[in-house]
């Protein structure tokens, strides 16, 4: 595994010549729901302007870019790991598994996988290994990783909105499952249900009370 803290122009030119899948995750910190990842292979002939780290974009802009990525990308796929898998494997290993699922689900085999962060799992597609690099802050540096960040973020946010509709007393539409004061107050009043990550310390502590 190679970690690029700063990409040179030659790095960028080399990457641009490859069929690249960008990979990113959303949802490592929340107490509830899946950890969601996305793999995106962009089409160099159909550029998308304004791609960036999803956290730096407004919700309205993310939604617009989500639709444009889905329309223009050569392919994309969402991978995930469930709360039960997170509890069994821990959040790091579950995230790596979700990333592998995202890449394996692409309908085009990439030549290279670029992952946001400081580590990446081993990737394969149809049984064949794929080279990968992890890139610190890659979601703000590499277009395909930015696109993956947006796909994963919008997908998970929509799932939290759906969970909010089913359990409005928890306020998921506002805090998206993260451990906020309002979320803790809701858990104290209403308890936890099967979508909670029971190995996470705040949830585990409540269950042990």
């Amino acid at each position: 595994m190679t970690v690029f803290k700063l990409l040179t122009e030659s790095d960028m030119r080399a990457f641009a010549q490859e069929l690249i899948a960008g990979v990113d995750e959303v949802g490592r910190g929340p107490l509830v729901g899946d950890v969601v990842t996305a793999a995106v292979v962009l089409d160099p002939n159909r550029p998308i302007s304004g791609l960036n780290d999803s956290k730096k974009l407004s919700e309205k802009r993310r939604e617009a870019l989500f639709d444009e990525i889905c329309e223009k990308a050569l392919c994309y796929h969402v991978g995930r790991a469930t709360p039960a898998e997170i509890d069994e494997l821990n959040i790091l290993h579950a995230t790596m598994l979700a990333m592998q699922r995202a890449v394996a689900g692409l309908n085009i085999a990439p030549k290279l996988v670029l992952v946001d962060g400081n580590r990446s799992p081993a990737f394969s597609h149809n049984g064949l290994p794929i080279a990968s690099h992890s890139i610190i802050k890659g979601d703000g540096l590499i277009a395909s990783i930015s696109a993956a960040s947006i796909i994963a973020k919008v997908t998970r946010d929509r799932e939290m909105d759906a969970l909010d509709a089913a359990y409005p007393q928890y306020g998921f539409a506002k805090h998206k499952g993260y451990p906020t004061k309002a979320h803790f107050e809701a858990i104290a009043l209403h308890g936890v249900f099967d979508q909670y990550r029971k190995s996470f310390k705040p949830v585990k502590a409540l269950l042990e009370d």
Side-chain angles (χ1 to χ4, degrees):
M1 177 184 69
T2 301
V3 178
F4 289 97
K5 294 187 178 179
L6 179 64
L7 295 178
T8 66
E9 289 186 8
S10 61
D11 291 329
M12 297 293 285
R13 286 194 297 270
F15 288 159
Q17 296 172 3
E18 300 282 356
L19 189 61
I20 301 167
V23 173
D24 202 3
E25 57 78 22
V26 171
R28 288 180 65 171
L31 306 177
V32 65
D34 296 348
V35 60
V36 176
T37 65
V40 179
V41 179
L42 293 175
D43 185 345
N45 297 314
R46 303 185 74 190
I48 300 171
S49 62
L51 292 173
N52 201 347
D53 173 2
S54 64
K55 297 184 294 296
K56 297 180 179 179
L57 300 169
S58 68
E59 181 179 358
K60 182 178 180 181
R61 186 64 182 136
R62 284 196 301 267
E63 290 282 349
L65 284 168
F66 178 94
D67 292 340
E68 189 172 1
I69 295 163
C70 292
E71 177 191 354
K72 291 183 176 179
L74 290 175
C75 63
Y76 66 93
H77 191 76
V78 172
R80 63 182 66 248
T82 66
E85 289 173 321
I86 293 168
D87 290 340
E88 179 183 356
L89 300 173
N90 77 40
I91 187 59
L92 173 61
H93 289 97
T95 301
M96 297 296 106
L97 175 62
M99 288 181 174
Q100 291 172 321
R101 288 169 172 169
V103 171
L106 293 169
N107 59 23
I108 297 173
K111 300 294 184 183
L112 177 67
V113 177
L114 300 180
V115 180
D116 180 56
N118 61 5
R119 66 181 70 196
S120 66
F123 290 102
S124 64
H125 192 279
N126 290 332
L128 298 177
I130 304 171
S132 66
H133 295 285
S134 56
I135 302 174
I136 295 173
K137 297 184 179 179
D139 50 5
L141 296 171
I142 303 295
S144 59
I145 301 179
S146 298
S149 172
I150 292 164
I151 293 292
K153 171 68 172 168
V154 172
T155 297
R156 193 177 193 282
D157 282 357
R158 290 177 178 178
E159 291 173 1
M160 288 296 100
D161 290 343
L163 203 62
D164 183 76
Y167 301 92
Q169 66 271 34
Y170 288 85
F172 293 119
K174 293 182 179 179
H175 54 66
K176 307 302 184 187
Y178 283 89
T180 66
K181 180 181 178 181
H183 192 183
F184 284 132
E185 290 174 351
I187 294 172
L189 283 172
H190 307 291
V192 300
F193 53 92
D194 59 357
Q195 287 297 308
Y196 274 89
R197 303 171 182 181
K198 297 175 180 61
S199 60
F200 276 36
K201 287 184 179 179
V203 179
K204 188 176 182 180
L206 285 167
L207 291 172
E208 290 174 348
D209 284 346

